[in-house]
Amino acid sequence: MTVKDEHVIVYDLFDRMAHIIQDLNKISGYVEGGWRLANSLQSMLGKVYRYEGHTVSELSKIYDIDLKNTTRYVNDLERRGLLYKEKAGRQKILKLTEEGHALHKLLSDDKAVLLDKIIDQVGRQELESAVETLDTIARQTHAFYEDIKV
């Protein structure tokens, strides 16, 4: 069986995305203040920051993340004292602690340098197009998985 040229392009894209994630995880180990927070937890901290006052299940739906994983990440951040759950009626909404806000600011400031370089080099329109492309790939990949899983 020969590999189609188009398949090579998609595989190369997947490989590059994996390398980006690996590098982001490496960068996560160099946060000021001695924090050792995995990229997945940094990402969830940012999600809670952006959607503070929402519930775990709402975050899970907004970002299309498995509820079990969302809960695990949130509980880990709570154990570390970076967020807490506040009772609001029958729901528990997520709030960052002062330490959570401070760490998010530190992470955002650090990563802003990288993001600005990416935006300057790639351009906003190209990035928006890339997001649309990756959304399409993500939907197709997820649909294929749903079709084949047992």
Side-chain angles (χ1 to χ4, degrees):
M1 180 175 134
T2 61
V3 179
K4 292 181 183 178
D5 289 343
E6 292 85 0
H7 290 191
V8 172
I9 293 168
V10 176
Y11 280 124
D12 285 349
L13 177 64
F14 291 164
D15 288 342
R16 283 170 178 78
M17 290 186 317
H19 286 291
I20 291 167
I21 291 168
Q22 288 172 351
D23 283 343
L24 286 172
N25 281 324
K26 291 174 192 172
I27 291 167
S28 299
Y30 292 97
V31 176
E32 290 179 30
W35 281 95
R36 294 283 187 230
L37 201 60
N39 196 57
S40 56
L41 292 176
Q42 289 185 29
S43 178
M44 185 56 67
L45 185 70
K47 289 170 175 57
V48 174
Y49 174 82
R50 288 186 294 280
Y51 289 94
E52 197 165 6
H54 285 72
T55 65
V56 171
S57 61
E58 289 170 336
L59 273 184
S60 174
K61 288 177 187 166
I62 289 167
Y63 288 101
D64 193 25
I65 303 172
D66 180 85
L67 180 60
K68 183 179 174 182
N69 285 329
T70 306
T71 301
R72 184 169 46 95
Y73 295 146
V74 165
N75 288 342
D76 194 342
L77 291 171
E78 185 177 30
R79 274 191 301 278
R80 294 169 185 255
L82 298 171
L83 65 78
Y84 62 97
K85 298 169 187 159
E86 183 178 283
K87 198 113 166 98
R90 292 189 294 169
Q91 297 183 325
K92 290 182 180 177
I93 59 173
L94 303 174
K95 300 274 188 147
L96 293 183
T97 62
E98 285 184 33
E99 192 171 34
H101 276 283
L103 180 57
H104 178 266
K105 181 178 179 349
L106 178 67
L107 294 170
S108 296
D109 290 349
D110 276 358
K111 288 185 179 174
V113 174
L114 170 63
L115 298 179
D116 286 341
K117 286 180 180 181
I118 291 169
I119 293 164
D120 288 346
Q121 188 164 12
V122 177
R124 183 184 172 118
Q125 286 182 320
E126 289 82 358
L127 289 169
E128 288 172 352
S129 178
V131 168
E132 289 176 23
T133 300
L134 290 173
D135 280 345
T136 300
I137 292 169
R139 282 192 304 275
Q140 291 299 318
T141 304
H142 186 73
F144 183 79
Y145 167 73
E146 289 295 326
D147 287 346
I148 65 169
K149 77 178 183 181
V150 178

